[in-house]
Amino acid sequence: MKVLVVGSGGREHAICTAICKSQRLTKLYCAPGNAGIAQLAECVPIKVMEFDKIAEFAVSEAIDLVVVAPDDPLAAGLVDVLNEKGIRAFGPKKNAAILEGSKAFSKDLMKKYGIPTAAYENFDDADAALKYLENCSYPIVLKADGLALGKGVLICNTHDEAVEGVKEIMQDKKFGDSGNRMVVEEFMTGREVSVLSFCDGTTIRIMTSAQDHKRAKDGDQGLNTGGMGTFSPSPFYTKEIDEICKKEIYQKTVDAMAAENRPFKGVIFFGLMLTKDGPKVLEYNARFGDPEAQVVLPRMKNDILGIFDACIDGTLDQIELQFENNAAVCVVLASDGYPVSYEKGFEIKGLEAFDGKDDYFCFHAGSKLEDGKIVTNGGRVLGITAKGADLKEARKKAYEATEWVTFDNKYMRHDIGKAIDEV
Ligand code: AMP
Ligand code: GLY
């Protein structure tokens, strides 16, 4: 089977690593990929939003399956474009990727189908939003409707902050057209859990749980990032909580999308808040999480290509997902200054330390090959993952491995997985 993965981050490196374990793979390509992915796949210099070029490449190379990993091409309909040309693709079509692409859509869906989430109002108009905010209790959460690189969420502690937030989102258009609409949402408290799932339009299969660390600095301080580290499983996601989510959230979401004539085939990522009133949906994503994929996929035993096929063909009911009875921790090595401004182009040394070690993974997020050297090429540079018998062992091993690689301006959080000490 010839497979093309679309994307270039740590998530795509983790997906490529999982695909390489499949006996059915004959050749793997990645567009555009990065220097780490290039060790597993032939990287082709096509960007993720160059739909015609991706389709042309898939046809000319007789690709059997295209895996679309990032949110932007999914929301803009790359899977539809590929299907129209007769190319098989894994990922939701545009009308289903709206589950992530529009927060107003997903909130209305949850309300209509009784899926637990924070109370909210949608607004198309800044004046109406400002009027509404006069009588709210604080803190309150403002969300730009569309995709905003995970940055379109503002938690406002006072009325003044909220007024400023509405201005940023709807008037100054800080997040571009994503701010044409806005959701104002009740502030929830509790522990966050990321739960990824595979869906074939009707059936949903839940993967093992994970927890992300979104803030840039230790102690959950600093700005929101794409994610500075993850661990899996989450000890806070108990069997009881899983039962509630299965009844109240997961299947209901798939059924709701089918009922709206938007059958969802691909990965639904449930961002959950475990509140004192039970688990509630913070957000949906229509793709694997990053860096969640970097701790979840290394623990998965199934042939991932078989699952992708089952999602496309509607036969997921015949598959049971299996995960290793262990734990994984991923620590992101970033460029100092991320997520605001940072320098790139520094040589990354020590990567060979990971060769031949089954329990350790060095997923490349932002790297490229330059004059025969691998250099930093992004805010998030590497995801260092280790597996262990339990979370404590995995964390110890992951932090040890962070020392094996060096590059100028290397930055990481030192408290990834610290929450497990409370268990
Ligand atoms: P989102 O992109 O919707 O996941 O939001 C980013 C982050 O903002 C989440 O991971 C939460 O930490 C926080 N957040 C979003 N919505 C809420 C909410 N209603 N209450 C409290 N925190 C929230
Ligand atoms: N790590 C969060 C995300 O992928 O959106």
Side-chain angles (χ1 to χ4, degrees):
M1 203 168 157
K2 289 168 94 175
V3 180
L4 167 67
V5 173
V6 174
S8 66
R11 164 182 52 211
E12 287 74 16
H13 196 175
I15 294 171
C16 286
T17 303
I19 291 174
C20 282
K21 289 200 291 187
S22 173
Q23 300 291 329
R24 296 165 61 204
L25 180 73
T26 51
K27 171 97 192 170
L28 182 61
Y29 297 91
C30 188
N34 62 38
I37 294 172
Q39 289 159 13
L40 305 173
E42 182 174 327
C43 292
V44 284
I46 303 175
K47 298 199 183 93
V48 303
M49 296 305 279
E50 294 179 324
F51 290 6
D52 290 341
K53 286 190 185 170
I54 293 170
E56 265 169 45
F57 180 82
V59 169
S60 73
E61 295 298 324
I63 299 291
D64 299 299
L65 175 69
V66 180
V67 179
V68 184
D71 50 358
D72 283 328
L74 286 169
L78 176 54
V79 171
D80 306 59
V81 169
L82 294 170
N83 287 171
E84 277 155 25
K85 304 218 153 101
I87 304 159
R88 262 169 92 78
F90 175 79
K93 290 191 174 175
K94 184 175 181 173
N95 75 351
I98 191 174
L99 192 60
E100 173 171 6
S102 167
K103 290 193 193 282
F105 169 86
S106 71
K107 294 297 290 188
D108 286 346
L109 186 88
M110 287 187 266
K111 187 187 220 173
K112 183 168 170 189
Y113 292 92
I115 297 166
T117 189
Y120 76 102
E121 290 288 333
N122 294 336
F123 294 95
D124 294 314
D125 169 87
D127 290 336
L130 290 169
K131 193 156 177 36
Y132 176 80
L133 288 168
E134 284 172 14
N135 297 311
C136 287
S137 51
Y138 289 84
I140 201 143
V141 184
L142 309 185
K143 299 187 173 184
D145 178 49
L147 298 177
L149 296 168
K151 293 178 187 152
V153 174
L154 304 178
I155 294 172
C156 305
N157 289 311
T158 62
H159 179 249
D160 285 353
E161 276 178 41
V163 168
E164 187 55 33
V166 172
K167 191 166 165 285
E168 281 180 16
I169 293 175
M170 297 198 95
Q171 291 169 337
D172 302 345
K173 293 280 161 79
K174 192 170 167 193
F175 309 106
D177 286 344
S178 289
N180 290 347
R181 295 182 87 189
M182 194 183 77
V183 178
V184 179
E185 187 174 282
E186 167 203 1
F187 177 75
M188 300 190 287
T189 52
R191 251 177 218 293
E192 287 186 42
V193 182
S194 301
V195 178
L196 312 184
S197 68
F198 291 106
C199 310
D200 71 356
T202 312
T203 300
I204 178 162
R205 290 282 186 254
I206 301 302
M207 295 180 231
T208 182
S209 61
Q211 185 175 321
D212 192 8
H213 299 66
K214 288 210 167 94
R215 301 293 198 93
K217 297 190 175 157
D218 283 11
D220 290 329
Q221 303 295 310
L223 294 172
N224 257 331
T225 68
M228 294 300 292
T230 37
F231 59 84
S232 169
S234 163
F236 308 105
Y237 186 80
T238 58
K239 253 200 152 36
E240 293 71 43
I241 290 171
D242 184 56
E243 290 300 323
I244 299 172
C245 293
K246 283 194 170 122
K247 208 162 131 233
E248 302 289 335
I249 296 175
Y250 304 144
Q251 189 66 47
K252 270 190 179 175
T253 300
V254 179
D255 292 347
M257 290 298 280
E260 296 290 313
N261 284 321
R262 299 171 182 275
F264 194 104
K265 294 182 172 214
V267 171
I268 301 182
F269 165 153
F270 297 86
L272 303 176
M273 180 81 93
L274 309 181
T275 74
K276 63 174 178 18
D277 303 322
K280 294 189 182 182
V281 178
L282 272 173
E283 62 159 350
Y284 292 116
N285 294 317
R287 52 173 174 81
F288 286 100
D290 191 355
E292 282 86 343
Q294 300 177 47
V295 283
V296 169
L297 291 181
R299 298 183 55 229
M300 194 170 79
K301 293 190 198 171
N302 304 69
D303 176 340
I304 200 169
L305 292 181
I307 300 176
F308 290 159
D309 273 343
C311 291
I312 296 170
D313 296 334
T315 56
L316 195 59
D317 60 333
Q318 294 166 27
I319 291 190
E320 292 301 330
L321 296 185
Q322 292 187 314
F323 287 85
E324 293 169 0
N325 186 21
N326 58 9
V329 171
C330 171
V331 179
V332 169
L333 302 186
S335 304
D336 197 11
Y338 171 73
V340 183
S341 65
Y342 47 85
E343 291 176 74
K344 308 190 274 194
F346 300 115
E347 185 177 359
I348 306 171
K349 293 186 186 149
L351 292 166
E352 62 287 347
F354 290 85
D355 293 347
K357 292 196 178 74
D358 288 347
D359 283 0
Y360 295 87
F361 303 82
C362 178
F363 296 118
H364 290 227
S367 72
K368 70 171 180 185
L369 201 59
E370 202 172 70
D371 303 328
K373 290 177 185 161
I374 294 180
V375 300
T376 63
N377 191 38
R380 291 190 291 178
V381 178
L382 302 171
I384 305 296
T385 295
K387 292 197 283 192
D390 57 22
L391 285 164
K392 284 190 178 157
E393 186 186 276
R395 181 177 56 179
K396 187 165 168 284
K397 287 166 77 174
Y399 271 107
E400 271 165 22
T402 61
E403 301 300 323
W404 301 346
V405 272
T406 55
F407 55 85
D408 286 355
N409 295 0
K410 176 177 145 186
Y411 173 82
M412 66 179 148
R413 274 183 63 164
H414 289 88
D415 61 348
I416 302 300
K418 191 161 183 281
I420 61 184
D421 295 337
E422 295 164 28
V423 183

